[in-house]
Amino acid sequence: MAPRDEWSVGCRDLAGRRSDVTVFVSSDKIVLVAPPGEAAVLGPLDVGRLRAALRDAVVAVAEHPDHSE
């Protein structure tokens, strides 16, 4: 199974509509994509999921062959 380089964390916007914050790896960088033009409102469990996604993305970057730190 190939390593996963994209994670999605559920959230809501300020109006309460469901959305997602996406974390992905691009080369040796970690990218966060929030809902376009909106704030991402995260509950405590969602913050834990975001933290886990960021941790996994850091591990993926560290294992990337082009990583130069």
Side-chain angles (χ1 to χ4, degrees), residues 3-68:
R4 190 169 120 185
D5 290 336
E6 184 173 317
W7 301 263
S8 183
V9 178
C11 66
R12 295 194 180 265
D13 64 14
L14 290 174
R17 296 175 296 233
R18 291 179 187 262
S19 192
D20 292 295
V21 173
T22 304
V23 177
F24 70 91
V25 174
S26 176
S27 187
D28 64 344
K29 303 289 186 236
I30 298 167
V31 181
L32 257 66
V33 180
E38 298 288 342
V41 180
L42 303 170
L45 291 175
D46 298 323
V47 170
R49 290 182 184 107
L50 179 59
R51 179 179 173 263
L54 290 169
R55 180 195 62 233
D56 292 347
V58 168
V59 169
V61 166
E63 294 172 348
H64 195 277
D66 295 336
H67 182 69
S68 60

